[in-house]
Amino acid sequence: MFSTSTSSSSSSSSSSSSCCCSSRRFNVNAAISVPKLPRIRFSTSPKTIRLPSRDLGFENIVLTRRTLVEDQQTNEEGGSCSSTSMEVMIRARLYAVLEAVCDRVEMHKNIGEQRDNWNTLLLNSINMITLTAATMAGVGGGASLLALKLSAALLFTAATGMMVVVNKIQPSQLAEEQRNAVRLFKQLQREIETVLTIRIPCEEDVEEAMEKVLALDRAYPFPLLGNKMIEKFPKKFESAIWWPSKRFQRANIGREMTKQNNGWSDQEVEMEMREVVQVLKTKDREDYERLGNLILKTNKFLAISGPLLTGIAAIGSCAGSPSWAAAAGALATVVNTFEHGGQLGMVLEMYRNCAGFFMLLEESIESTVDESEVEKRENGEMFEMKVALKLGRSLSELRDLARKSSYSRIEGTQVEEFASKLF
């Protein structure tokens, strides 16, 4: 009994002690999750910080130049510096010519607009002065007022001087010259851009582009007076010449993709081109030269008649012949309006340009056909298509024209059809 009670008491004491111990040792476990920070790598080599730029064109130019320099340095390290550096230099030179051409386009465009305004303003001013002087001469003659007669004489004299200057420079013809220059410089700009786009330019491309720019500068100068200005009243009608006298011949690009003999396998295309040249000489260019001479003579007559009539009117107003002064002044106004209002100078320049276009096409065909080495010619099919497009014809119509020309020469007659359907 004693043992049992002892054991029970001991067990109860142990259980109570364990409960007290467990209550004292109660722990609270909590976890805090901290996000991982990203790793930052610092490089020792400095890098260029690129800031946002508004001028994207300038950024592209800088990147292009940097790329070219890096490529050149890489090639120097690899040992192929000579060829690549030469290509880079040729391309840079051609880009420089292109920039000059774009600048010429803007210059001729601005000057053309200015000279077109000259034609309108000077025409209206001279007509108003002449009509005012004629009115004053008629009124002053009847009333015998010296002031009106003197004023009319002064106005007629001023109109005479202005007519002489305007007829000398021909503002309508000056404006047409600048319009033609803009068109031709834009054509040269597209040619250079095409070369830079489709293939690697060569030294001949740069020389040819520079020669064309200089030839256009000679054909359409900026000065109004002096030897550089185009003669407005030559003794004979002359076609405009805006292309260099030196013909640049280069090997055909990509002829390995063409047919046999570079598209000139048979004599049919060559004979066709010769017949087209014959029609251009005997019909188109001859007709424009005839019309150009007619316009030139008419413009000369009107350019002399206008100042002469105003001079007669000035003398008549001073000499006491008001009726003659008024009639001469009115007739001078009609002559001036017909000459500059009808823009005969512009028509003459248009005929010069058209005749020059046909002359250039003739020289281009003859220089291509006369080349003995077929490989140096332009591809025959491509050249035929270009000629047809310049004349406003399809390939079938161009071949029909050549066939008609051949038959007419055999029969001893002249073909009635013109080669060009555009002009």
Side-chain angles (χ1 to χ4, degrees):
M1 290 292 292
F2 180 76
S3 63
T4 304
S5 61
T6 306
S7 62
S8 61
S9 62
S10 64
S11 61
S12 60
S13 63
S14 63
S15 60
S16 62
S17 63
S18 63
C19 289
C20 293
C21 182
S22 62
S23 61
R24 291 174 185 173
R25 295 179 181 180
F26 177 77
N27 295 328
V28 179
N29 296 325
I32 300 175
S33 59
V34 179
K36 295 182 179 180
L37 296 177
R39 294 182 179 179
I40 300 176
R41 297 180 180 180
F42 296 95
S43 59
T44 57
S45 60
K47 288 187 177 181
T48 304
I49 300 176
R50 299 185 62 180
L51 298 176
S53 175
R54 295 181 180 178
D55 191 1
L56 298 179
F58 177 76
E59 183 180 356
N60 292 334
I61 294 173
V62 172
L63 292 177
T64 303
R65 292 188 61 185
R66 185 180 300 172
T67 304
L68 293 176
V69 172
E70 291 177 356
D71 293 342
Q72 183 176 356
Q73 292 176 354
T74 304
N75 291 323
E76 287 177 356
E77 294 176 358
S80 58
C81 169
S82 58
S83 61
T84 307
S85 60
M86 183 64 68
E87 292 176 1
V88 171
M89 180 58 65
I90 291 175
R91 184 176 289 271
R93 291 173 60 190
L94 195 57
Y95 268 113
V97 177
L98 181 60
E99 291 178 0
V101 170
C102 295
D103 185 58
R104 297 289 203 287
V105 170
E106 293 298 326
M107 293 171 62
H108 284 282
K109 182 180 178 180
N110 296 335
I111 293 178
E113 293 176 356
Q114 178 191 39
R115 293 178 180 178
D116 191 26
N117 292 332
W118 285 0
N119 183 54
T120 304
L121 296 175
L122 291 173
L123 170 64
N124 295 332
S125 300
I126 291 174
N127 285 344
M128 290 300 298
I129 291 173
T130 308
L131 290 176
T132 303
T135 303
M136 296 175 68
V139 174
S144 299
L145 296 176
L146 181 60
L148 291 177
K149 292 180 180 180
L150 183 60
S151 299
L154 291 176
L155 289 176
F156 277 130
T157 304
T160 302
M162 293 178 67
M163 279 189 180
V164 170
V165 175
V166 172
N167 293 342
K168 174 67 177 178
I169 64 176
Q170 292 290 315
S172 62
Q173 186 172 354
L174 291 175
E176 183 66 18
E177 290 174 5
Q178 302 307 312
R179 284 191 288 265
N180 291 332
V182 170
R183 180 180 61 85
L184 294 171
F185 271 112
K186 284 185 177 180
Q187 180 181 355
L188 180 58
Q189 177 184 350
R190 290 190 294 269
E191 291 178 2
I192 297 176
E193 290 174 350
T194 302
V195 171
L196 291 170
T197 302
I198 65 176
R199 61 183 174 86
I200 300 175
C202 58
E203 186 69 26
E204 292 181 355
D205 294 322
V206 179
E207 294 179 1
E208 182 178 2
M210 292 185 63
E211 289 294 331
K212 287 183 177 181
V213 171
L214 296 178
L216 283 172
D217 289 339
R218 290 190 297 268
Y220 301 103
F222 291 114
L224 294 178
L225 301 175
N227 297 328
K228 293 184 178 181
M229 187 180 70
I230 298 176
E231 179 63 33
K232 298 300 183 290
F233 300 101
K235 296 181 180 179
K236 186 180 179 181
F237 176 81
E238 297 177 356
S239 305
I241 299 176
W242 62 83
W243 58 92
S245 58
K246 180 181 177 181
R247 304 297 298 178
F248 291 86
Q249 297 288 344
R250 63 171 62 88
N252 185 35
I253 304 299
R255 60 174 176 267
E256 66 274 4
M257 300 176 62
T258 60
K259 295 182 179 180
Q260 188 179 4
N261 292 330
N262 196 20
W264 302 86
S265 56
D266 51 3
Q267 299 294 325
E268 184 178 355
V269 179
E270 185 173 340
M271 296 302 297
E272 175 188 340
M273 293 295 105
R274 294 186 185 278
E275 294 296 335
V276 170
V277 170
Q278 189 67 25
V279 177
L280 287 172
K281 288 181 178 179
T282 57
K283 293 293 294 185
D284 296 76
R285 187 152 66 93
E286 183 178 350
D287 188 65
Y288 273 100
E289 289 179 353
R290 178 182 61 82
L291 293 174
N293 283 316
L294 178 62
I295 294 297
L296 179 60
K297 293 178 181 178
T298 305
N299 200 22
K300 279 183 180 179
F301 174 76
L302 295 177
I304 296 173
S305 300
L308 182 62
L309 289 172
T310 52
I312 293 174
I315 296 173
S317 61
C318 292
S321 300
S323 58
W324 284 100
L331 188 58
T333 304
V334 174
V335 169
N336 186 62
T337 303
F338 185 75
E339 180 184 5
H340 298 288
Q343 297 188 353
L344 294 185
M346 181 271 292
V347 176
L348 178 64
E349 183 62 27
M350 182 182 65
Y351 285 165
R352 290 182 68 249
N353 185 263
C354 292
F357 169 79
F358 293 129
M359 184 184 296
L360 175 60
L361 187 58
E362 292 170 13
E363 291 185 5
S364 176
I365 295 175
E366 289 176 349
S367 63
T368 302
V369 173
D370 293 340
E371 177 61 45
S372 58
E373 299 181 11
V374 181
E375 291 77 9
K376 291 185 178 180
R377 297 180 184 177
E378 189 176 357
N379 179 262
E381 297 177 357
M382 180 66 70
F383 187 75
E384 183 184 15
M385 184 187 69
K386 287 183 179 180
V387 172
L389 290 175
K390 288 181 179 179
L391 296 177
R393 292 176 173 271
S394 62
L395 292 176
S396 59
E397 291 176 345
L398 187 67
R399 292 163 186 166
D400 291 339
L401 176 66
R403 195 177 299 111
K404 291 178 183 179
S405 176
S406 178
Y407 289 157
S408 62
R409 284 197 305 105
I410 294 174
E411 295 176 358
T413 60
Q414 188 176 7
V415 62
E416 298 296 332
E417 188 177 0
F418 288 91
S420 176
K421 289 188 175 182
L422 291 178
F423 307 112

